[in-house]
Amino acid sequence: LDAWARCLEGAGASRRDADADLGFEEERRRGASDDVLRAVVTRQPDRFYSSTDPDNGLAVVIDARKAHTAVKHRLDARLVDLRAEARERYATHASGLLKLAKASRDKLERVDERRCSCREALAQLALHASLQDSIPKWRETVQGLLRLEWCLKTQEEDQHDDELDLWLEASLVEGAVDACAQVLETRKGRLDGEKAALRAEADAELVKARMASAAISESWRALKPERLGEGENACATTAQAQERLQQFTERVQRALDDARDFARALVALDGSAQDASTGELEAIDVEARALGEVWEALAGPIASIGTLDRTRWVDFEPSSAKETLRKAGESLRTCSSKVRQYACHADACKLVQERERSVGGWVGSLRSAELTPQLERKLAKVLFNSPRWDARSRNCGDFLRLKVTPSMRKELDQVLAAARRDASMAQYLEDVDRHWSERLFDVAPGRLIRGWDSLFEELDEHSQALLAMKEAPHFKEIDSSSEVYRRREVLSNDVDELRRRLDLWSDAQRRWVHLDAIFGSNVDIGDRLPQAKNAFSDGSRTFDRCRDDCLTESPRVRALLEVAALPESLEAVSRLFGDAQRWLGEFLESMRSEFPRFYFVGDDDLLGMLGGGIEGARPHLTKMFAALRDVSDGRMFSADGEDVPLTGTLDESSCVAWLSTLERAMRCSVAQSLKDALMIDSDLEKWLAQHPTQALCSSIQCDWASRMDKALDGGSLEGPSKVLVERLAALSSATSSPLKRAQLIVELAQQRDCTQSLHDAKSSQDHRWLRQLRLYCTDETTDVVEGTSFLEQLIKGNKTPLAVTCVARVAGASLTYGYEYQGIGRRLIRTQLTDRCFATLASSLKWRLGGNPVGPAGTGKTESVRALGALCGRHVVVFNCDEAFDLGATGRLLRGLCRTGAWGCFDEFNRLDEGALSAVAQQLRFIQEGLLSKASAVEISGRATPLVPTTAVFVTMNPGYAGRSPLPETLKRLFRTVAMAKPDSRA
């Protein structure tokens, strides 16, 4: 306070000096201005300026008032700040000392020395001693207040009324101190006479104080909150620890205050100092305050754990709990080393770790699990031994504080596993339900659904999965009233019903597409079949209404389930379309009966032919004839560019009539050309140009066979050999018709090799010669396999008989030449392997059996069958038994074979799966048994079918390949096998 008084005095002096300097400067400036004015008036400028003396210049008057004013303002501002700070300090010291003096006086006057206890008297003595030391210091403070008050009052400043009202006079403070001193002198005199009696009582109080200190120390050692948890020296929460520490701190502080008071009282009594044993209490106080700091540092993590424990179980989120525990653990790890040395810190770390293991383990799994009521009841019994789960009334701490035994953990794991399975099933059911709720049809233009394969695959997959779910062992343990059980039943019924409706829809759409292409674009067919067209029209209208109901802008698959009458409508559509297809099938069957080669044409192509007439039939000629591509201007054209004149005229009244007459004309033309070519001209090039390839090759074969028979019986083969050499030389040097020449050269080369191999033969009955395929133009046909009646019908029947009768003989079998136009074609190189195959197949035909060439791929099995059929003038139809094999069309094709007398070759027959192979084998068995018994008709696909004697069936097989089936036992006895193990490349 004295320093502040001196500071204010110095600041005031500086302010006054600044005012004096400003006044002096003002006086000096006025005097200088008057001198300059006077010199100007009296025209005596030399006083201020001399032209001869450069150092004597014009006088300059400097005005320093602004600088002095700025300094003055700065001093004023600084003085105001000093005065404000001084007033504040004055007020603080004055009010504080005044309150202290009054409080001390009140304490002195409160106790009556004549009726007070020993403790109170000793407290008064201690107070007297303390005040005797304090009052001199108070008086020094009063002197400082008086001086500072004088400085403040003597400063010249404007004071506001409110500041004057709040001003506390130093004299009041001085009076309060003096009053307290007077009361002290009065009270002290009264207690001085009682010192002897108080001494004995003070000793007794001192003993009590020591006993109280010992009790506090003992209680501290027993109840000191140094652990976290349960127990006498542990606390469950920070609030409990801090409350206990606060109680100990208050007790210790009271004991310390009493001890100090007793010590001061004893000093006041006799001047002696006694030990009050406060050292241990002070140590307890220090330790309690340190523990308080530790618990304060742990307050955040422990509070977060408590909040987690108090969280309602239904509101518990494992992810947020993990984050809370992570932050608590991080906070504990970053505590100071002073905090980490206490046991409660280690307990808190352990608690956080236990909570993390629980939340990350079974507690988190339990909260995340979707529990059924059945599992909830089981869990309540396992964890809480209660019949009710009641999750809403439980907190998270109820689970986190559980002590889980191994047996409980085992049952708990079983429940959690069951819950996971239930949740997995529920999720799968939800996924399936959402999939079919969002699944859309892939609609093509014309409102036709496509992508049926993927749609049915998805339905079958879900149906099987739902069925497997029902049959699973854990599903049988689920209560039938649970949501999972009910939802699976509903969804399974929906999937099954959806599959049924989609089956009906796909069948109706397939039939509609097929029939719409027939009746929608072919008016002629509609006119021929009015009943079928009416049935199609009725079914089409019903199908259009179904599409209007289900195929909207967003065609959902599940919309099919929303139309209750859809199954009945689709069944009616399928029934109407089935009637139309039945009538259409009967019509097509009647057309095929009129012209059997129609069996080799599909229904759609046949309808196009019937609707398009003769022009509609031209593109499909290659399907019905071996090599015929087109017919025009009385000539028939092959696919390889050869044209042959037709014998006779064609009936163009209808497509069926035109094709029937074409078939007869083709055979007559082939027979006529063969007859014409039998007269082999010496000019081979001219002869080559006059006749078709088939006639040339057949005539060469007939000529060679007759020459060889005569030569073998005559004992010399020089004649045939010479003719063959000459013909080969002539053909090799010729330049015209290269394709024809190539086929003839191949045939002549084979004849030459065969002739050379028979150089030692003695007769035409030599078995080596009889094993060769030979053609004869002869009327001796009593030994043909097909029988004379069929031959007479083929050659001499109808209006125009065939020009020549040709028979193929090989290995004791005589086969009627079929007169099927073969075109130029390509001749198969004949080897011993092919000759053996020809002999085996012909022998099987002789005994009315089928042929079965067996061997790996590339050995010529199928080509050998083709070549044999071409040499015999037969129509050979090859069926590839691969993945694209149409099992549904098998019956139609087999009926075509039977009615036309063509040869059928099933290539790689054992490539079919067992079901398809068994079905086809059954039909083939009927045909072979009919041929063996020379029946006139056989039953195929439930229909009686006429059987032409020239019909033959061959099957090729690749044994030993993966996925191939053996020939059924029912067919083995009806087919003769020929092994073709490897190709014969010696040729």
Side-chain angles (χ1 to χ4, degrees), residues 29 50 99 156 164 167 212 374 402 508 694 715 764 776 863 893 967:
R29 187 191 65 78
S50 175
K99 291 179 181 178
E156 295 180 357
L164 295 175
W167 187 266
Q374 182 181 3
L402 279 175
Q694 183 178 356
S764 61
Y776 295 96
E863 293 304 320
L893 297 174
L967 191 67

Side-chain angles (χ1 to χ4, degrees), residues 749-774:
Q750 190 275 331
Q751 293 176 5
R752 180 197 62 191
D753 296 340
C754 181
T755 302
Q756 293 175 356
S757 66
L758 296 173
H759 66 279
D760 57 345
K762 302 301 181 181
S763 170
S764 61
Q765 299 302 313
D766 192 293
H767 71 280
R768 291 176 295 173
W769 170 243
L770 296 178
R771 289 178 66 248
Q772 299 297 318
L773 177 63
R774 312 176 311 280

Side-chain angles (χ1 to χ4, degrees), residues 753-959:
D753 296 340
C754 181
T755 302
Q756 293 175 356
S757 66
L758 296 173
H759 66 279
D760 57 345
K762 302 301 181 181
S763 170
S764 61
Q765 299 302 313
D766 192 293
H767 71 280
R768 291 176 295 173
W769 170 243
L770 296 178
R771 289 178 66 248
Q772 299 297 318
L773 177 63
R774 312 176 311 280
L775 288 184
Y776 295 96
C777 290
T778 177
D779 292 333
E780 296 180 5
T781 58
T782 57
D783 58 344
V784 293
V785 173
E786 297 82 7
T788 56
S789 60
F790 171 77
L791 188 61
E792 292 175 358
Q793 179 183 359
L794 176 65
I795 297 176
K796 301 177 181 179
N798 297 326
K799 298 179 181 180
T800 306
L802 296 180
V804 65
T805 302
C806 187
V807 177
R809 292 192 172 97
V810 55
S814 298
L815 305 176
T816 304
Y817 194 79
Y819 304 98
E820 183 77 20
Y821 179 57
Q822 303 293 330
I824 296 178
R826 294 183 179 182
R827 310 294 287 186
L828 180 68
I829 301 297
R830 301 271 291 278
T831 65
Q832 293 183 3
L833 179 63
T834 56
D835 288 343
R836 186 169 67 250
C837 180
F838 286 173
T840 304
L841 297 182
S843 176
S844 65
L845 294 178
K846 176 182 178 180
W847 301 108
R848 302 296 182 117
L849 299 176
N852 179 26
V854 176
T859 55
K861 301 182 296 297
T862 305
E863 293 304 320
S864 296
V865 175
R866 288 180 187 269
L868 180 62
L871 291 172
C872 296
R874 297 298 180 91
H875 184 199
V876 181
V877 183
V878 178
F879 307 101
N880 294 315
C881 300
D882 53 9
E883 294 81 0
F885 183 74
D886 188 0
L887 185 61
T890 305
R892 170 174 58 82
L893 297 174
L894 292 178
R895 287 197 299 274
L897 292 179
C898 295
R899 297 194 64 134
T900 60
W903 288 5
C905 179
F906 290 84
D907 190 22
E908 297 187 13
F909 184 63
N910 59 339
R911 192 174 180 180
L912 296 173
D913 57 62
E914 293 185 1
L917 189 144
S918 177
V920 177
Q922 182 71 11
Q923 304 293 336
L924 295 181
R925 185 174 67 86
F926 291 154
I927 296 175
Q928 290 302 133
E929 289 178 350
L931 291 172
L932 190 61
S933 62
K934 298 182 180 182
S936 60
V938 293
E939 183 177 347
I940 299 176
S941 299
R943 295 182 181 181
T945 304
L947 180 60
V948 178
T950 56
T951 303
V953 177
F954 304 94
V955 294
T956 67
M957 298 175 63
N958 303 124

Side-chain angles (χ1 to χ4, degrees), residues 684 700 704 723-724 727-729 731 743-754:
L684 289 182
I700 284 289
W704 175 66
V723 171
L724 291 173
R727 290 176 178 175
L728 280 171
L731 289 174
Q743 306 305 316
L744 285 176
I745 289 173
V746 171
E747 183 61 35
L748 289 173
Q750 190 275 331
Q751 293 176 5
R752 180 197 62 191
D753 296 340
C754 181

Side-chain angles (χ1 to χ4, degrees), residues 454-520:
S454 61
L455 194 60
F456 284 130
E457 285 178 4
E458 294 171 8
L459 277 171
D460 292 341
E461 178 184 353
H462 290 164
S463 179
Q464 293 173 6
L466 293 173
L467 181 60
M469 182 186 297
K470 182 179 180 181
E471 299 298 329
H474 61 271
F475 187 82
K476 297 179 180 179
E477 300 177 359
I478 298 177
D479 190 358
S480 59
S481 61
S482 65
E483 179 66 17
V484 173
Y485 191 95
R486 184 195 61 81
R487 194 171 186 181
R488 194 218 70 85
E489 292 293 327
V490 172
L491 197 56
S492 178
N493 294 335
D494 287 349
V495 170
D496 293 342
E497 179 63 20
L498 190 60
R499 175 57 192 257
R500 186 175 75 89
R501 297 190 179 199
L502 286 175
D503 284 334
L504 292 173
W505 190 292
S506 64
D507 179 68
Q509 178 175 294
R510 178 180 54 80
R511 293 171 183 264
W512 181 87
V513 170
H514 173 66
L515 294 174
D516 183 67
I518 297 171
F519 295 106

Side-chain angles (χ1 to χ4, degrees), residues 687-698:
W687 176 71
L688 192 68
Q690 291 177 347
H691 306 288
T693 305
Q694 183 178 356
L696 294 173
C697 293
S698 298

Side-chain angles (χ1 to χ4, degrees), residues 68 86 96 128 133 135 203 251 320 423 460 499 501 510 547 568 589 638 658 716 752 763 769 800 803 813 884 947 952:
H68 284 285
H128 291 173
D133 295 336
I135 286 177
D203 292 337
R251 290 177 61 188
S320 61
D460 292 341
R499 175 57 192 257
R501 297 190 179 199
R510 178 180 54 80
R547 291 191 288 185
E568 292 76 8
E589 186 66 24
S638 68
W658 184 74
S716 175
R752 180 197 62 191
S763 170
W769 170 243
T800 306
L947 180 60

Side-chain angles (χ1 to χ4, degrees), residues 318-333:
S319 58
S320 61
K322 290 179 182 178
E323 181 65 19
T324 299
L325 292 172
R326 187 194 65 79
K327 292 181 179 179
E330 184 67 23
S331 177
L332 290 173
R333 285 190 293 273

